[in-house]
Amino acid sequence: MLLYDFLINSFIVGLLVGGFYAILSIGLSISFGLMNMVNVAHPTFIIIACYLVHLLYNFFGLDPIIGGVILTPLFFMMGFTLYHFYYRFFEIRSESSLMGLIFFFALLVLGEIGLVLSVGTNYITVYTAYTMEAINIGIIRIPLRLLYPFLAGLATTIALFFFFSKTFIGIAARAVAQDEQAAMLMGCDPLTVRRIAFGLSILTTAIAGGLLIAIQPVDPFLDRQLIGKVFAVVILGGMGSLLGSLIAGIILGVVESLATIFFQTGWSYVITLFILILVLVFKPSGLFKR
Amino acid sequence: MEQSREYGVLVSLDNPRVEGEPIPWMIPEVPYQSKSLHNLPLKHIANIGPGQRNRATVLEVMCIRESQGERSYYLVVFSEYGTEKEEVPSGVRPRIVRCVLKESYPPTTVEFVPLMSKVKALNPDIVFICSFPTDSVGIVKASKEIGLAPKIFGGFMVGLQLASIQTQLGPALNGLIVHHTYVPAPKMKFPGVEDVLARYQRQALEAGVDPLGWYNAPYAYAMMQVLEAGVRGCGCLDDAKIADWIKNHEIETVVGKIRFAPNGEWAKPRTLFIQFQNIRSADLSEFANPDKIVILWPEEYKSGEIIYPFPGWR
């Protein structure tokens, strides 16, 4: 394999993996970036979605990506309801920061244990028509298992971007994040807006779950491996910036891929964290604004 | 103690009670911990896993065809942890084995296409991998997608022995040579093992665990048989005496007769190295057929011949 073939293919794979990182993180960008909710259970919702997608796959033969999309109303309602609980017991008492973190950590543990008790510790995975298939475009070889999640992640990110920048509820959510009092004076109901925003945040985990299980096997504890990655993407991209999360995900994906080629694989994470530290030092708000 | 995800049984390696206390610890198979295990003064440990120190033997199985031809060839080695990097086994002469890449990867690696592309660029004859379940699947998928075609592919890839993963990878497993603990081949039908597996399989699906149970169930059962034998043998519940009895007697179990060496491992290692052959679909029945999980090593349990180079990979 020629060097430039090798580099181009590695870059493409990094790009595709980065798009996948973005969809894993985009919901956290909404909850953490726009609503100041440190939802450490975000990856746990993704894993729960994986198991539900797996159920749909087993019983109805549904493609995992379609399964994830089908689950979105359920996850939206889950987030909508959960926010109400969070608001009632934490936010309204001004205990949202530390107690909220503990609440979400408890959700993480409950989610893991709930999965273990209900479905066991077995690895689940899916086999689709595009698993282990690739398309060749000249010298470029693109694994479909990565391409489809990338496209789905891209579409979700763009849809959410337009939702938060063009619709009344979306703009209201950003307004509430900036200045709740002012937003109320403009006729916004912050509680409803936040409920919807958190519902959307959890909705994205349904799609991310479908994409995750299409890419790799899943067990109830996989969320712990994802926590660092999703927070890194959100912080690097800029708190609350959806396109920032997309670009940050792609940067991390490409850097990891190229670092794997030029150095030992373990160094890819060191380089990723080094970039994150540089950004925090020189641009603490992240690469992009809300 | 904590529950092991892979084995579903109790494991404790970092518990401070392990060191120095006279407890007859029964350790279920712990493939990646043996090094740290043996650095501890564990006088009373017994590892039910059938021999961890012969990990490199799979490499010898992989190399045997090439070494007969006395030609140079290339070897790629992976390990999940840098401290456990595999070495070229002493049984394979260094002049016929040249390692072209040793690489470790972090446990958080999500996607293996970049890594396997790096391997492909080196065009190795043999790819030897040590990996945990999710990584094993990712590595197989990535290798197929990029068209990696070594003559032999495999290693200590944990997870590929579990039916839940096998039935998702299906024919992609053809040709892979990996370690295993138990395959119900004719030479391995020890007294009682079929009954244990039949009872296990009746409950496995409902319990959401591996439906075949070849990898874990017989050894989990044997572990308790060893402990029972120890208690009965010394006629007391004194930990040190039980441990001592276990170490000094050959014990009849559903996985055959077990004798432990002073280091707590099996006196004669018996990790199997198998090759997936003629898998035609991802149906469970394919992986429930021992004719398709061919034992290559040890010789006394061999159930078929290695297919080399495997057409699917070359």
Side-chain angles (χ1 to χ4, degrees):
Chain A
M1 192 187 291
L2 296 172
L3 181 62
Y4 68 90
D5 290 12
F6 189 37
L7 284 177
I8 290 171
N9 278 295
S10 299
F11 181 84
I12 298 285
V13 167
L15 189 75
L16 300 180
V17 172
F20 169 64
Y21 287 166
I23 184 62
L24 288 181
S25 315
I26 206 87
L28 188 67
S29 183
I30 297 169
S31 60
F32 186 37
L34 281 180
M35 304 170 70
N36 295 322
M37 294 168 70
V38 192
N39 182 8
V40 290
H42 185 80
T44 311
F45 284 105
I46 295 175
I47 303 303
I48 292 170
C50 287
Y51 276 86
L52 293 175
V53 164
H54 191 248
L55 272 181
L56 294 175
Y57 167 81
N58 272 345
F59 285 107
F60 306 109
L62 274 181
D63 181 273
I65 299 176
I66 295 170
V69 173
I70 286 175
L71 288 175
T72 52
L74 174 69
F75 274 67
F76 176 80
M77 286 313 297
M78 204 191 298
F80 192 89
T81 311
L82 190 63
Y83 181 76
H84 184 75
F85 183 82
Y86 177 83
Y87 174 79
R88 178 87 187 272
F89 292 99
F90 299 102
E91 211 161 68
I92 206 168
R93 298 178 188 173
S94 301
E95 292 173 346
S96 55
S97 54
L98 182 60
M99 293 305 286
L101 179 64
I102 295 170
F103 168 69
F104 284 116
F105 188 75
L107 275 186
L108 180 153
V109 175
L110 280 173
E112 285 179 355
I113 300 299
L115 284 174
V116 169
L117 292 177
S118 56
V119 293
T121 56
N122 237 0
Y123 291 91
I124 56 163
T125 181
V126 296
Y127 191 90
T128 63
Y130 48 87
T131 305
M132 290 183 273
E133 295 295 330
I135 53 169
N136 294 301
I137 306 169
I139 58 168
I140 298 169
R141 191 176 173 96
I142 303 175
L144 296 180
R145 179 175 56 91
L146 297 179
L147 178 64
Y148 292 157
F150 170 79
L151 294 175
L154 192 66
T156 308
T157 307
I158 291 171
L160 282 173
F161 174 76
F162 279 108
F163 177 83
F164 279 100
S165 57
K166 301 293 180 191
T167 66
F168 175 77
I169 297 284
I171 293 168
R174 288 165 58 213
V176 168
Q178 281 180 10
D179 189 332
E180 191 171 324
Q181 297 278 330
M184 284 173 73
L185 288 172
M186 296 295 115
C188 283
D189 174 6
L191 181 58
T192 304
V193 167
R194 282 171 158 265
R195 276 179 183 161
I196 293 171
F198 194 69
L200 287 171
S201 164
I202 300 301
L203 173 151
T204 65
T205 63
I207 297 168
L211 304 183
L212 177 63
I213 199 170
I215 287 181
Q216 68 168 94
V218 171
D219 71 35
F221 302 98
L222 187 66
D223 53 346
R224 297 181 189 189
Q225 290 183 24
L226 298 177
I227 285 178
K229 190 85 72 184
V230 294
F231 273 91
V233 169
V234 170
I235 293 166
L236 185 64
M239 305 279 274
S241 170
L242 301 183
L243 284 184
S245 291
L246 176 65
I247 292 167
I250 288 173
I251 289 172
L252 292 190
V254 170
V255 166
E256 282 180 8
S257 182
L258 294 181
T260 299
I261 300 302
F262 290 110
F263 308 103
Q264 284 268 326
T265 311
W267 280 99
S268 65
Y269 294 90
V270 176
I271 293 168
T272 299
L273 290 174
F274 184 67
I275 291 171
L276 185 61
I277 290 168
L278 280 184
V279 169
L280 287 176
V281 169
F282 294 106
K283 208 164 183 308
S285 59
L287 293 174
F288 298 89
K289 292 179 179 175
R290 272 178 189 167
Chain B
M1 282 192 158
E2 62 179 84
Q3 189 165 26
S4 157
R5 278 190 283 150
E6 279 75 34
Y7 306 102
V9 284
L10 294 176
V11 176
S12 178
L13 294 171
D14 48 4
N15 188 321
R17 290 190 71 204
V18 169
E19 193 167 344
E21 286 207 14
I23 294 171
W25 291 88
M26 291 304 299
I27 304 293
E29 194 188 14
V30 192
Y32 292 92
Q33 300 289 350
S34 55
K35 196 171 180 180
S36 56
L37 219 77
H38 292 295
N39 288 336
L40 293 172
L42 300 171
K43 294 178 182 174
H44 306 287
I45 202 160
N47 183 2
I48 197 67
Q52 300 310 322
R53 287 200 158 174
N54 63 337
R55 177 144 54 120
T57 309
V58 71
L59 193 56
E60 294 187 67
V61 171
M62 287 178 161
C63 295
I64 197 157
R65 188 62 64 98
E66 282 293 338
S67 54
Q68 284 169 356
E70 299 257 340
R71 52 162 285 203
S72 296
Y73 64 108
Y74 297 91
L75 171 69
V76 178
V77 179
F78 286 116
S79 174
E80 192 169 30
Y81 299 104
T83 54
E84 289 284 336
K85 282 183 180 171
E86 199 69 30
E87 298 297 334
V88 174
S90 56
V92 182
R93 287 161 291 179
R95 70 185 176 86
I96 58 164
V97 177
R98 186 153 72 89
C99 180
V100 290
L101 176 69
K102 275 189 179 181
E103 180 107 5
S104 62
Y105 64 86
T108 51
T109 305
V110 172
E111 184 47 53
F112 288 88
V113 168
L115 191 56
M116 300 318 289
S117 298
K118 191 173 176 178
V119 174
K120 188 186 174 190
L122 294 165
N123 193 26
D125 293 322
I126 297 175
V127 176
F128 180 77
I129 293 167
C130 296
S131 54
F132 276 144
T134 53
D135 313 329
S136 302
V137 176
I139 286 167
V140 172
K141 284 181 177 175
S143 303
K144 285 285 182 185
E145 284 163 356
I146 62 168
L148 177 67
K151 289 178 182 169
I152 301 178
F153 188 103
F156 259 79
M157 300 178 75
V158 181
L160 302 187
Q161 303 77 6
L162 305 176
S164 58
I165 286 178
Q166 290 170 341
T167 51
Q168 298 303 329
L169 291 174
L173 289 172
N174 273 326
L176 260 75
I177 298 176
V178 293
H179 76 291
H180 211 311
T181 55
Y182 183 79
V183 176
K187 292 177 183 172
M188 293 207 69
K189 292 194 172 170
F190 307 106
V193 69
E194 286 174 297
D195 177 53
V196 167
L197 279 172
R199 280 190 283 152
Y200 168 89
Q201 287 166 3
R202 275 199 295 273
Q203 299 175 44
L205 277 178
E206 195 180 319
V209 294
D210 185 45
L212 292 180
W214 294 358
Y215 192 52
N216 294 320
Y219 287 86
Y221 194 89
M223 182 168 70
M224 302 316 293
Q225 285 185 304
V226 169
L227 195 57
E228 181 196 15
V231 172
R232 288 184 189 279
C234 72
C236 67
L237 290 174
D238 183 285
D239 293 330
K241 286 180 181 171
I242 295 170
D244 192 53
W245 194 94
I246 288 172
K247 287 284 180 69
N248 292 299
H249 289 81
E250 187 170 74
I251 301 161
E252 190 83 50
T253 73
V254 293
V255 294
K257 290 177 180 172
I258 301 175
R259 180 178 282 281
F260 292 103
N263 65 3
E265 301 278 15
W266 282 41
K268 186 181 179 190
R270 204 194 64 191
T271 301
L272 307 177
F273 298 106
I274 59 98
Q275 184 175 44
F276 295 99
Q277 294 180 1
N278 304 314
I279 305 289
R280 302 199 189 285
S281 74
D283 194 81
L284 181 63
S285 61
E286 292 285 304
F287 297 97
N289 182 352
D291 293 341
K292 300 193 174 194
I293 317 289
V294 175
I295 301 172
L296 305 177
W297 190 92
E299 281 292 330
E300 58 265 42
Y301 299 105
K302 194 171 174 180
S303 65
E305 293 298 324
I306 185 172
I307 298 179
Y308 163 89
F310 200 86
W313 286 97
R314 174 53 78 176

